[in-house]
């Protein structure tokens, strides 16, 4: 993956979303992405705008461990309030870096309903899985 582009908005940081109010804001962003398979084992990450006076959640990603070397992207959403196209790529890159550091070798994703998210995944390097790899039609994978 390419490095995070220079010029990303100042004050936006990547971090885990562990507190209940943060998760509530994140669920609001994810409502349109049909996050149907998350559970208590999922890890929630976000791009948070430290300069915002309101919520300040620019993007959210939810990831579940499938096994020690595979993770599933359960949800990915970007706030319409942040129009910078580099934020989506940054969010995916940060999640990938975190997973790679923990020993994950592959990230999978179900077919997204949102065209913007689909384009983001394709741009990040996700490619269709072969039907023999045990996933349904449309699933994609990103080797880490």
């Amino acid at each position: 993956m390419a490095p995070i582009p220079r010029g990303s908005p100042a004050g936006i940081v990547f971090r885990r979303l562990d507190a209940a109010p943060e998760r509530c804001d994140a669920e609001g962003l994810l409502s349109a992405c049909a996050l149907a398979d998350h559970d208590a084992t999922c890890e929630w990450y976000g791009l948070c705008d430290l300069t915002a006076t309101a919520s300040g959640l620019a993007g959210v990603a939810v990831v579940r461990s499938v096994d020690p070397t595979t993770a599933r992207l359960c949800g990915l959403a970007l706030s319409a309030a942040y129009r910078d196209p580099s934020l989506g790529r940054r969010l995916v890159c940060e999640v990938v870096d975190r997973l790679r550091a923990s020993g994950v070798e592959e990230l999978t994703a179900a077919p997204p309903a949102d065209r913007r998210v689909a384009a983001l995944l394709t741009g990040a390097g996700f490619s269709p899985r072969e039907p023999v790899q045990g996933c349904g039609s449309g699933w994609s994978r990103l080797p880490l």
Side-chain angles (χ1 to χ4, degrees), residues 66-108:
V66 175
D67 61 44
T69 61
T70 307
R72 175 176 300 140
L73 183 64
C74 298
L76 178 69
L78 302 169
S79 171
Y82 294 86
R83 303 230 183 260
D84 186 335
S86 70
L87 289 177
R89 184 162 177 82
R90 177 179 174 190
L91 179 58
V92 172
C93 288
E94 297 272 14
V95 168
V96 164
D97 287 346
R98 178 77 57 103
L99 293 172
R100 187 182 296 121
S102 68
V104 173
E105 298 172 2
E106 179 179 71
L107 180 60
T108 63

Side-chain angles (χ1 to χ4, degrees), residues 17-32:
L17 304 176
D18 291 324
E22 294 172 327
R23 293 242 180 127
C24 185
D25 288 345
E27 286 175 351
L29 278 180
L30 289 168
S31 64

